Amino acid sequence: MTSVLRSRTTTAVGFAVAGLGFVSLLYSEVPPFSNYRGIFSPLLAIPWAGPYGLLGLAVLLAGLGTATLSCLLDADRRSGEWLHRFDYFLVLVAWLATWSLVAGFFEKGRANPFWHLVCLAVLAGTGCYLWATTFVRLGSHTLASTILWPRVFRTLRLNQFSGIFILVVTVIAGVLLLSGVRSVVGEAMSYSSWQDIALSSWLWGWFAQVGLPALTLAVVSILSLNILSITAAKERAIEEKLREERFRAELITNVTHDLRTPLTSIVNYVDLIGKLDLDDPQLAEYTDVLGRKAARLTVLIGDLLDASRASAGNLPVRLAPLELTEILAQIAGDFDAALTARHLTWVGPGTVHAHVLADGEHLWRILENLLGNVTKYAKPGTCVHADLERTPGVVALRLSNLTPEPLDLPADQLTAQFVRGDAARHSEGSGLGLFIADRLARLMNATLTVAADADRFAVTVTLPAARPAVVPAGLPATGGVGLPSGFAPAPEPMVPPAEQVPIEWPLRPVPTGRSVMPE
């Protein structure tokens, strides 16, 4: 029994019975159709008198009940069909426009039985489709998902101009559409047998009052659907990119871990061979080269692992107030020998004090990478400038130097992975220095920007500023555990309190066990 009720044949029979009841009720009780029932009574030999109005109503309800039950029982299967995937709002707009248009054509051909049948077929077909698709969507719980406006306003928020504009246009056009349908149908029904409808002028009125609002709603809906499709495509592209980045980060992490085990053995055996008394100078030279290359490979694997972790955001961040000037001076002191070897003159920011909120290890690594770039690629015999600029809420550190030749790439591409400023260089740099520095800066809610003008190269690191505090009388002249005097943390920490740990002062280099000189 259930399978019979769920069949499309049952639905069609139900709507056919409902259509007969609808015609009987329409032509017996509802003006102006009741004025033309004599057209059908000779053809069908049906007495369209008053009592048949109640019979028609009963037949109409019975047919609609059967068709509705059939649609509800088979809703899950039918909901996937294209007929029930159209946007429901557009279906309503098309139904209102069609029914109001049929009213004028009905009055134009009211004396022709064939014209009555055509109009009735259009009304019955569109009405049955609207009824069926409504209950199919209700039964399968897809009505909300097939109306575009909730999705549109989730994408275009009402606190944005675009969302407000679409809402206002839709509401105004919808009100005009409903008012126009009522007006044109009322005007069509006002004509009588001795006052024929002027179809051309009525059609112009229908277009102005119904067609234009319906067209406006259709255009706005289609544009909104396009916005939704573009947004969905963009989100899919972003998700795919993130998935690829996670896969790449996991691959690099796994490969570097697998490489470290044999590399450790190589380094240990090279160290053991180096401790032997080798009489053959050529073998000693080979051992020395092998040791240097193993050390270089160790640095490269460490850079790959750090780049992978920084890109994936898997490094812990412990923000604390730091004095940027002193950290910069310490790192410049560590690179003093390398700067001297390249005949570079360090021009620091002087005694300007700048307090920032940052992770000490990550900030040290950023500055270490930037100074490593300078010692490798700055033009010998020139000056390296370090400038500090303090603005409300941020502190900007700018390192600039001259290069032997202009860069081959745009400056903003140098923060990508494995990118060098000159493809012809054969230095030992891995092309990961600026990439790691950029990702570490992002982890601390800081920014790193690169600029190049001819042979002048500059990198700017912008960090959140910390606020100095006034020490109350009678308290020790210190701003906290390990902090300089007259200093307090920023009022709004950028990480949970459990992750904020004090950094010992003065800050010393992070013991990595290797000399990191990335490019």
Side-chain angles (χ1 to χ4, degrees), residues 472-496:
L475 294 181
T478 178
V481 180
L483 302 179
S485 61
F487 181 82
E492 296 182 2
M494 303 180 69
V495 294

Side-chain angles (χ1 to χ4, degrees), residues 79-103:
S79 61
E81 299 174 354
W82 62 273
L83 277 174
H84 304 292
R85 301 305 302 176
F86 288 135
D87 185 79
Y88 190 71
F89 177 79
L90 292 178
V91 170
L92 288 176
V93 171
W95 176 74
L96 287 172
T98 302
W99 275 48
S100 61
L101 183 62
V102 169

